[in-house]
Amino acid sequence: MAEVRFEDIRKRRIGAGGAVEILRGVTLTAPEAEMTVIIGPSGGGKSTLVRLVNRLEEPDGGRILLDGVPIVSIDPLDVRRRIGLVPQKPFMFDGAVMFNLLRSFHFRGAVPPGENDPQIAQVLELCRLEAGLLNRDARTLSLGQQQRLSLARTLLASPEVLLLDEPTSALDRPTADRLADTLREICRTRSLTVLMVTHDLRLAERVADRLAYLEQGRIVEQGGAALLSDPRSPELRRFLNGSEGQG
């Protein structure tokens, strides 16, 4: 288990018109063994915030703490071993499902488990993947199956923190609901700290222990999932009204 804390995080990008502030003093805590969900309009900085956690990008100000230790003081490879990222678009290596599952072991130079290892069976069950798929070409799977395979591959590396970037963005509603149930089960059974960004309000309401609304690079409001039914800020009320009928 591990806590992630953002303290006054700032991030700028240089564009044709000069510097643009993407994140403007974000302070937020993702507690141990809970699901923290960040919602907000596109372009508000959600995905950038996630990428900062495992040092795919670096902030221009503020700091991110992993169990009280600034991640800038931890080797980036160690950070990525402890913090697993499941990207919005799943990437499949050329080869079978089993080959894809074991890639993290090869990258670490560790001995991978065999096909009959209980770890494999457990992660397949958690992610609702059939064992009969292990020898199938991963790139022939449906998008929903590839999403779950990407999640299973990350979980096999035993991260302390799981980052999810729009995990249901391309899924139909029944598949998204099944993935939501999977995420809740994983968080509960593995005591994982989960930080997720999503535009899917139904998913957020279904899984969030804590919820934060990010707009124009700022955390406008945060609290429990009840924020979706009882928003306090005019910004969140506008966002929810504009999202009615979506997701």
Side-chain angles (χ1 to χ4, degrees), residues 13-217:
R13 295 204 194 286
I14 305 299
V20 177
E21 286 191 275
I22 305 298
L23 297 170
R24 309 180 185 200
V26 171
T27 295
L28 176 70
T29 298
E32 294 181 351
E34 291 189 9
M35 291 194 69
T36 300
V37 179
I38 302 173
I39 62 170
S42 298
K46 301 188 302 298
S47 293
T48 298
L49 192 64
V50 165
R51 289 173 61 83
L52 294 176
V53 181
N54 69 345
R55 301 194 64 185
L56 291 174
E57 297 188 51
E58 301 291 348
D60 294 309
R63 61 180 188 166
I64 301 172
L65 307 176
L66 178 62
D67 269 349
V69 178
I71 63 169
V72 72
S73 69
I74 307 173
D75 184 277
L77 289 178
D78 289 335
V79 170
R80 291 167 198 153
R81 290 187 182 107
R82 297 176 64 184
I83 303 175
L85 170 63
V86 180
Q88 181 174 352
K89 295 181 180 179
F91 175 80
M92 297 292 106
F93 294 96
D94 187 17
V97 168
M98 186 66 175
F99 177 80
N100 272 266
L101 277 174
L102 300 181
R103 292 315 292 158
S104 65
F105 291 89
H106 293 294
F107 292 146
R108 300 197 312 267
V111 178
E115 185 172 325
N116 297 318
D117 191 289
Q119 292 181 76
I120 300 295
Q122 183 185 49
V123 79
L124 290 177
E125 182 180 1
L126 270 175
C127 296
R128 292 170 170 78
L129 289 167
E130 298 175 4
L133 295 174
L134 287 176
N135 295 317
R136 184 169 159 183
D137 185 337
R139 293 181 175 176
T140 68
L141 299 179
S142 70
L143 181 57
Q145 289 171 322
Q146 289 186 14
Q147 288 269 20
R148 296 195 297 277
L149 175 54
S150 180
L151 176 60
R153 182 171 60 200
T154 303
L155 290 174
L156 264 181
S158 300
E160 299 170 39
V161 178
L162 182 63
L163 307 175
L164 301 166
D165 187 2
E166 300 282 8
T168 62
S169 59
L171 303 183
D172 59 38
R173 177 48 58 195
T175 305
D177 285 346
R178 287 193 295 271
L179 180 61
D181 294 340
T182 296
L183 294 174
R184 288 298 303 165
E185 184 176 357
I186 288 168
C187 185
R188 183 177 66 253
T189 59
R190 295 202 166 198
S191 296
L192 264 179
T193 301
V194 180
L195 179 63
M196 177 171 69
V197 300
T198 184
H199 70 282
D200 187 338
L201 298 181
R202 176 168 165 172
L203 174 68
E205 186 172 32
R206 191 170 181 137
V207 304
D209 294 304
R210 298 180 58 81
L211 189 140
Y213 176 64
L214 182 67
E215 182 178 306
Q216 296 184 345

